Amino acid sequence: MKRLLFYSLFILFCSLVSARAQAQPGIVRGAVVDSLTRKPLLEASVSLLLARDSSLVTFGITDGDGRFEFPKVAEGQYRVLVTYVGYRGKARRVNVTADNLTPDAVTIDLVATSETLVEVQVQGERAPVAVKGDTLEFNAGSFKTRPNSQVEDLLKKLPGVEVSTDGTVKAQGQEVKKVLVDGKPFFGNDPKMATRNLPADIIDKIQLYDQSSEQSQFSGVDDGDREKTINITTKKDKRKGTFGQQSIGAGPQPGEDLRYSARASVSHFNNDRQISVLGMANNINQQGFTAQDLDLGNNFSGSGGGGRQGNTRGGAPGGNTGMVGNNAITQSWAAGLNYRDTWGKKIDVTGSYNASNTNTFIDQSSRRENVLPGGVSGSSRSDSAFVTNRTNGSNNSNTNQRFNLRLDYRIDSLTTIRVIPNLSWLNSAYQTTSSAATLSGQGVPVNTSTTNYNSTGDGVTGNNTVLLFRKFQKRGRTFSLNWTTAMNNQTSVGINQSVNTFAQGNAPISTTGVTGPNSQTAVFEQVINQRNDQRTRSMTNSINVSYTEPLSMRQTLEFHYNLSNNNNTSNRFVNNFNEATGQYDQLNSQLSNRFLNTFVTNRGGITWQTRRLKYNYALGFDAQQASLESDNITRDTSFTRTFTNLLPNALFTYNFGKSRTLRVQYRTRINAPSVSQLQPVPDNTNPLNIRLGNPNLQPEYSHNISLNFNRFQPTTYRSLFALLNLSRTDNKIVNATSFDRSGAQITQPINTNGYYTANGSLVLGQPIKLGEQKANLNLTTNLTYNRGTSFVNQQANLANNWLVGQGVSISSNFTEKLDLNLAGNINYQSARYSLQPQQNTSFLNQTVTLDAFYQLPGKFTLSTNVYYNHYGGSAGSFNQSFTLWNAMLTKQLFKQKQGEIRFQAFDLLNQNQSIVRNVTDTYTEEVQSRVLNRYFMVSFVYNLRNFVGSAPTTNPFGQPGGRGNGTRTGGGRRNG
């Protein structure tokens, strides 16, 4: 199966190239002039579109003489569309036939918008792709999508954009952090709420850019804080009406519970007022939102003995080196409301509220091998190895509520106040049962463990930002005040019941709970029955003041000052079970602690920015003084430390042309340790993996250099995006781990130097023609390198980790009936450790995805998705392969095809599985989890479309190319 799928990818690619080479090419040429002066119009946008549906074939601009030429055009009927700023668009039909392979579109004369339009054939038609400064703009109507598709399906058709199976969107090699709708947030900052719940047929344009911070957008001085952002612009004629999608379905899973899924979304748009209501419930691992829940009381990491499976990275790079499928079965429900409106002429408001609940069931088995250098405490052996086999079952329930608001109040033409509050509530319940047995490298029993851990928790997190923007009469002179308050309050209560046995002579490091040798079994037995109460409170207040003064039309100085105060309290109380009273009323002073931590920073600096026609640069220099005060109330000890750092930064941008940009940035940062890392009390939630804080930690100091190059060629429709990040961190907080002969370990964070990371990506996009059809070819190359030091049994361990990946994808609407997407990825990962070469590992991961859609007669459609995954290069059971095959047959109902009956089969081959391989500086682990396997479902879907003055959409591939006349809504764009 693996070879078949890889050969399919290779054959399809070769077929496309071969067909392109063998087709008899034609040439379409012409010229563009001003209708009045007859002078040529240079750099006018010219698109060659298929006549039958206005889909894009190729795209270009006129030369210095106003001429254009499209070579290698297959036989067929086309439309030549010409657009130019300040002129009415115009289109002309041309036919490429065997008798006339070089038709001339003759001279196309454009009429200026100030003149009376006489000869115009098409009004308001736009080019499929446009480059506007640093924004790449796609005309949604030029990219075909399947019937009743969502925005996520449209994004998959755009060059340089990738959408993963979990809905994560990557553009130009970077993850999209924010998706706006008409320039405003949609359900807060959750990208999936927009991409998975808005229909593609109401979209006018997709705008892609790097959004700078609120401060930069206002002042025009680039501070380097950017997020990859997509702005979805809706069609003007779709901004007044009601639309949405409702679906309900259920079906059997052999030997399991009934599977069900229900979704409903209704949006009412009335120009500036937009109201959306969403709801969903299912037990098939589907989420229409990004999981942002807190995870209270769910930190039970396993090691040596029983416990919840964790991915403990240690201080050096490592961690999760591969996952196949999902590692749990989740049932969830969610509901939400989004509101946007303009109140009068001065107030814009956007807000949302949503609630969600997830129940996650985990059933796992694992094998972990610890190979330790230099022996263990109390042992004379030169090395030691532990092998732990574990089973683990857990049920985690989270109920989360989130509220977001953004209010802009324009006091006058020069002054604006912006208020952005966010609030989140969480209730959590966690239950786990685990059993484990540990053997020595020679197969001798070391310990066994059985653990039951239950916890409940709740938390409230929130932040509020108040921004005051003030411009002055002098152009470029601004003042801004930014006050941010953030709080995080969490409370959890857990019951830890554990029985751990140790072979004679292998008593653990801590004898807390050890009852001594058992005369009947000749082993040490440790019984733990404790209740732990954890309460953490965090409050941060930060004030930032900025003033910009123009030195000239090209140069600006920015003066800024920041004061930040962060107060953290952490109270942990552990009580042993009292058999006499039947209560948890015996305080364990060794494990209990009250801790207070305060981190105050004063930071001031100056930035000098210069803007030229071709390039911009900014040089900045900050000085920061920070004080760290820790007070251990329980131990009656305290200390205060002061740190002074110089923080330079620089930014350089060069524009080679309107579609080529190079950006180089250098930044320095200070990262303070968390209160959990500072608190010196032991955490014995897992008694064989005790975690201990370190009050002597210092803040991390990091240097980062990033390089970003973007190129998009409108004439060839080719794109290239390159990204490279290099960083070095001093005083990096890493883990120091110690083991004893019982197989137990203590982990404590410490500071160390010599931590380096590098990551880069290269994304190439290239259109390919197949007769009259076109396909998009995307090549993605990724490289990641980490180098760091951790400590194992007081010995330094240098780790070097590599990841090299290559991906290729081809997508095409071959005909109006056939849509095909094919993708393949190969990733090579390697981990090398100086102290423990036995831990060195490398493996290869290969994946192939085939996604196809076909329109059958009688309003039937067939969709299928095949996903193949193979891990190789590792020893033992981790050499795994599986194929996940899903299929769906749909019957379209009603006159406008707004209804559907869907027959769905998931995992037809019944091969879905989850495998996780964790490789760290102290262990190698393979975890297998129970996952959702083969099931069937029948669903009914109804798509609501009711717009004022507009009939429902009838074209199954969306609106014909580019007839919308919407204007760009730039609420989210950066200034300058």
Side-chain angles (χ1 to χ4, degrees):
M1 189 65 178
K2 175 184 72 173
R3 293 183 178 179
L4 176 61
L5 291 172
F6 272 107
Y7 287 159
S8 299
L9 177 64
F10 178 75
I11 291 171
L12 178 59
F13 176 75
C14 293
S15 299
L16 293 172
V17 176
S18 175
R20 185 182 181 188
Q22 294 175 9
Q24 293 295 325
I27 299 176
V28 176
R29 60 169 67 95
V32 182
V33 301
D34 184 286
S35 63
L36 184 62
T37 65
R38 312 304 296 175
K39 290 184 178 180
L41 298 178
L42 65 156
E43 295 191 355
S45 297
V46 186
S47 303
L48 185 66
L49 311 173
L50 286 176
R52 67 170 181 266
D53 59 6
S54 295
S55 61
L56 177 67
V57 177
T58 187
F59 175 73
I61 58 176
T62 57
D63 60 18
D65 296 323
R67 296 186 176 276
F68 63 88
E69 182 176 297
F70 296 124
K72 299 181 180 179
V73 178
E75 296 181 25
Q77 296 181 350
Y78 300 92
R79 295 171 58 242
V80 177
L81 169 65
V82 181
T83 59
Y84 195 73
V85 177
Y87 288 79
R88 303 285 185 181
K90 191 171 185 179
R92 177 158 301 184
R93 285 182 173 270
V94 295
N95 296 329
V96 179
T97 65
D99 297 331
N100 185 12
L101 290 174
T102 58
D104 198 333
V106 201
T107 299
I108 301 176
D109 51 341
L110 298 187
V111 180
T113 53
S114 59
E115 300 178 30
T116 302
L117 186 61
V118 178
E119 298 182 69
V120 176
Q121 299 174 1
V122 179
Q123 297 186 27
E125 200 162 3
R126 300 187 311 272
V129 183
V131 180
K132 299 182 178 180
D134 59 356
T135 299
L136 198 58
E137 184 176 278
F138 301 94
N139 174 25
S142 299
F143 299 90
K144 299 178 182 179
T145 55
R146 303 172 187 179
N148 302 319
S149 295
Q150 304 299 315
V151 170
E152 184 177 274
D153 302 299
L154 174 61
L155 294 176
K156 295 177 181 179
K157 300 295 182 181
L158 305 183
V161 179
E162 300 177 27
V163 182
S164 64
T165 54
D166 66 354
T168 301
V169 180
K170 280 191 174 183
Q172 301 173 355
Q174 297 178 327
E175 183 177 345
V176 175
K177 298 291 187 179
K178 186 179 295 185
V179 175
L180 306 176
V181 178
D182 292 328
K184 300 294 183 180
F186 187 77
F187 280 93
N189 293 321
D190 188 346
K192 295 180 185 178
M193 295 297 283
T195 60
R196 288 190 160 179
N197 294 289
L198 289 179
D201 55 15
I202 72 165
I203 306 306
D204 181 36
K205 291 177 291 187
I206 299 289
Q207 296 167 334
L208 176 63
Y209 55 90
D210 291 325
Q211 186 182 53
S212 55
S213 66
E214 305 269 1
Q215 171 64 32
S216 292
Q217 294 177 53
F218 168 72
S219 68
V221 177
D222 197 340
D223 59 7
D225 290 331
R226 291 170 176 261
E227 286 184 321
K228 187 65 68 176
T229 302
I230 286 178
N231 182 42
I232 299 171
T233 302
T234 57
K235 297 174 182 177
K236 274 191 172 182
D237 61 348
K238 298 296 188 291
R239 295 179 186 173
K240 200 166 186 179
T242 304
F243 61 90
Q245 185 183 78
Q246 298 78 43
S247 67
I248 185 169
Q253 182 181 15
E256 299 288 344
D257 297 332
L258 181 74
R259 296 298 163 189
Y260 65 88
S261 176
R263 298 177 64 91
S265 67
V266 178
S267 296
H268 178 73
F269 283 14
N270 187 4
N271 296 321
D272 290 333
R273 177 176 296 173
Q274 299 179 359
I275 301 175
S276 298
V277 179
L278 306 177
M280 57 157 285
N282 69 83
N283 63 353
I284 56 173
N285 292 1
Q286 288 185 353
Q287 293 183 359
F289 54 91
T290 302
Q292 298 176 352
D293 299 339
L294 301 173
D295 200 9
L296 302 176
N298 189 8
N299 55 2
F300 197 67
S301 58
S303 176
R308 177 178 181 268
Q309 288 294 339
N311 181 10
T312 308
R313 285 180 172 269
N320 191 311
T321 58
M323 177 176 290
V324 181
N326 202 329
N327 66 343
I329 297 177
T330 300
Q331 65 178 29
S332 62
W333 62 259
L337 170 69
N338 188 75
Y339 174 79
R340 171 186 170 183
D341 201 358
T342 298
W343 297 344
K345 297 182 178 180
K346 292 188 174 183
I347 298 178
D348 293 333
V349 60
T350 301
S352 67
Y353 167 82
N354 64 294
S356 63
N357 173 270
T358 59
N359 281 279
T360 304
F361 305 92
I362 297 177
D363 185 5
Q364 294 177 330
S365 61
S366 66
R367 182 182 186 276
R368 175 181 295 188
E369 182 176 359
N370 293 88
V371 182
L372 309 175
V376 294
S377 176
S379 174
S380 61
R381 289 175 289 179
S382 60
D383 57 54
S384 180
F386 298 121
V387 177
T388 302
N389 294 297
R390 180 186 302 111
T391 60
N392 175 62
S394 67
N395 180 12
N396 189 9
S397 175
N398 285 331
T399 301
N400 183 265
Q401 301 177 73
R402 295 199 296 264
F403 170 77
N404 303 278
L405 182 67
R406 176 189 173 111
L407 188 145
D408 288 343
Y409 175 55
R410 293 177 292 278
I411 299 176
D412 52 45
S413 60
L414 299 176
T415 310
T416 300
I417 293 179
R418 179 171 296 162
V419 182
I420 312 175
N422 298 279
L423 197 60
S424 178
W425 302 266
L426 173 77
N427 298 103
S428 176
Y430 178 71
Q431 299 176 347
T432 185
T433 300
S434 176
S435 62
T438 300
L439 306 176
S440 70
Q442 293 75 32
V444 178
V446 176
N447 66 57
T448 61
S449 176
T450 300
T451 301
N452 292 300
Y453 187 82
N454 302 314
S455 70
T456 59
D458 58 76
V460 178
T461 64
N463 61 78
N464 182 58
T465 301
V466 179
L467 300 102
L468 171 65
F469 299 129
R470 171 69 181 178
K471 293 184 179 180
F472 297 90
Q473 296 295 333
K474 184 176 181 179
R475 181 182 177 88
R477 179 180 293 171
T478 67
F479 172 81
S480 64
L481 175 67
N482 185 336
W483 175 28
T484 300
T485 301
M487 63 97 172
N488 186 352
N489 298 334
Q490 299 183 27
T491 301
S492 65
V493 178
I495 302 296
N496 185 17
Q497 297 173 327
S498 177
V499 178
N500 306 286
T501 59
F502 305 90
Q504 190 70 273
N506 285 343
I509 299 173
S510 173
T511 58
T512 301
V514 174
T515 61
N518 188 313
S519 58
Q520 296 180 353
T521 59
V523 298
F524 279 89
E525 187 176 80
Q526 181 187 57
V527 179
I528 295 177
N529 189 359
Q530 297 172 337
R531 167 177 168 153
N532 57 74
D533 294 77
Q534 182 82 29
R535 302 174 186 175
T536 60
R537 301 288 186 271
S538 174
M539 177 66 73
T540 301
N541 278 279
S542 179
I543 297 177
N544 188 77
V545 180
S546 174
Y547 174 79
T548 61
E549 179 66 26
L551 303 179
S552 65
M553 292 293 292
R554 297 174 176 172
Q555 296 184 343
T556 303
L557 276 181
E558 182 194 41
F559 302 90
H560 49 265
Y561 170 75
N562 175 268
L563 171 63
S564 178
N565 182 291
N566 176 248
N567 288 291
N568 291 280
T569 60
S570 180
N571 299 327
R572 179 177 175 83
F573 301 98
V574 177
N575 289 275
N576 295 328
F577 182 75
N578 188 341
E579 293 185 359
T581 63
Q583 303 290 327
Y584 292 95
D585 55 12
Q586 294 181 340
L587 180 67
N588 190 319
S589 58
Q590 294 181 351
L591 303 178
S592 301
N593 185 257
R594 297 177 61 197
F595 189 76
L596 173 64
N597 179 69
T598 303
F599 189 70
V600 180
T601 62
N602 285 273
R603 177 170 177 167
I606 186 173
T607 300
W608 172 42
Q609 178 174 277
T610 299
R611 290 184 175 272
R612 308 285 294 195
L613 182 63
K614 283 283 188 180
Y615 61 89
N616 306 319
Y617 63 85
L619 302 174
F621 189 84
D622 290 6
Q624 176 175 295
Q625 185 181 66
S627 63
L628 178 64
E629 180 178 342
S630 297
D631 186 6
N632 189 336
I633 300 174
T634 301
R635 306 292 190 268
D636 194 22
T637 60
S638 64
F639 66 87
T640 300
R641 291 186 176 85
T642 301
F643 310 94
T644 301
N645 298 100
L646 301 179
L647 302 171
N649 59 85
L651 179 66
F652 176 76
T653 303
Y654 189 86
N655 297 311
F656 297 92
K658 72 175 185 177
S659 59
R660 290 187 300 164
T661 303
L662 173 67
R663 180 182 177 88
V664 182
Q665 183 177 5
Y666 167 71
R667 302 193 70 177
T668 52
R669 291 181 181 273
I670 297 294
N671 299 312
S674 67
V675 65
S676 61
Q677 292 173 321
L678 292 167
Q679 191 173 25
V681 63
D683 180 357
N684 76 331
T685 304
N686 180 354
L688 299 182
N689 182 11
I690 298 175
R691 290 173 294 177
L692 182 65
N694 181 3
N696 297 316
L697 289 177
Q698 298 186 17
E700 298 178 339
Y701 184 85
S702 61
H703 307 258
N704 181 267
I705 297 176
S706 64
L707 181 149
N708 192 312
F709 177 76
N710 297 335
R711 185 186 71 183
F712 183 82
Q713 294 178 308
T715 55
T716 62
Y717 211 45
R718 296 173 182 170
S719 60
L720 184 150
F721 307 104
L723 174 68
L724 177 63
N725 284 311
L726 305 172
S727 69
R728 189 194 81 187
T729 303
D730 299 326
N731 290 325
K732 177 69 176 178
I733 298 176
V734 302
N735 283 335
T737 305
S738 299
F739 290 82
D740 72 352
R741 61 176 178 241
S742 71
Q745 71 182 66
I746 292 181
T747 302
Q748 184 179 37
I750 64 173
N751 291 109
T752 188
N753 293 317
Y755 184 82
Y756 299 90
T757 64
N759 62 80
S761 62
L762 180 67
V763 182
L764 298 171
Q766 168 69 54
I768 298 176
K769 297 178 185 176
L770 181 60
E772 293 185 0
Q773 308 306 320
K774 66 182 186 301
N776 289 324
L777 172 66
N778 287 310
L779 301 174
T780 303
T781 304
N782 294 301
L783 173 65
T784 300
Y785 170 71
N786 295 317
R787 181 180 186 273
T789 302
S790 63
F791 291 84
V792 182
N793 286 352
Q794 292 78 48
Q795 299 183 57
N797 186 24
L798 178 64
N800 289 275
N801 288 264
W802 289 90
L803 183 149
V804 181
Q806 178 62 55
V808 56
S809 65
I810 300 175
S811 63
S812 177
N813 295 98
F814 284 93
T815 67
E816 290 187 355
K817 293 184 177 182
L818 177 62
D819 182 10
L820 186 65
N821 301 281
L822 187 62
N825 286 278
I826 299 178
N827 291 305
Y828 173 78
Q829 291 184 258
S830 173
R832 295 291 182 265
Y833 300 97
S834 64
L835 188 61
Q836 299 157 273
Q838 303 95 323
Q839 297 292 96
N840 294 348
T841 186
S842 61
F843 69 93
L844 198 66
N845 175 222
Q846 306 165 56
T847 64
V848 177
T849 303
L850 174 65
D851 188 11
F853 167 86
Y854 189 72
Q855 181 79 46
L856 298 168
K859 292 186 177 181
F860 281 96
T861 67
L862 178 64
S863 303
T864 186
N865 174 273
V866 181
Y867 175 76
Y868 171 80
N869 195 311
H870 172 74
Y871 278 92
S874 299
S877 61
F878 197 63
N879 290 317
Q880 299 284 344
S881 299
F882 84 101
T883 301
L884 179 62
W885 181 17
N886 306 323
M888 181 172 65
L889 179 65
T890 301
K891 169 63 176 178
Q892 298 168 337
L893 305 176
F894 311 128
K895 183 177 180 180
Q896 304 296 336
K897 302 180 181 179
Q898 66 268 38
E900 296 178 349
I901 294 289
R902 297 177 177 177
F903 305 89
Q904 181 182 5
F906 175 84
D907 190 18
L908 279 168
L909 303 180
N910 205 29
Q911 293 186 10
N912 190 29
Q913 58 182 291
S914 172
I915 305 171
V916 178
R917 184 176 178 84
N918 295 322
V919 179
T920 73
D921 47 355
T922 59
Y923 66 81
T924 299
E925 179 182 55
E926 296 171 8
V927 184
Q928 292 188 326
S929 305
R930 178 191 172 199
V931 294
L932 189 63
N933 290 112
R934 182 166 53 198
Y935 69 88
F936 305 90
M937 183 172 289
V938 178
S939 305
F940 172 73
V941 181
Y942 183 79
N943 295 277
L944 174 65
R945 302 288 188 274
N946 185 15
F947 297 99
V948 176
S950 176
T953 301
T954 58
N955 187 342
F957 288 100
Q959 293 295 323
R963 287 189 174 83
N965 192 23
T967 57
R968 184 180 189 279
T969 304
R973 281 287 297 113
R974 69 181 183 86
N975 198 351

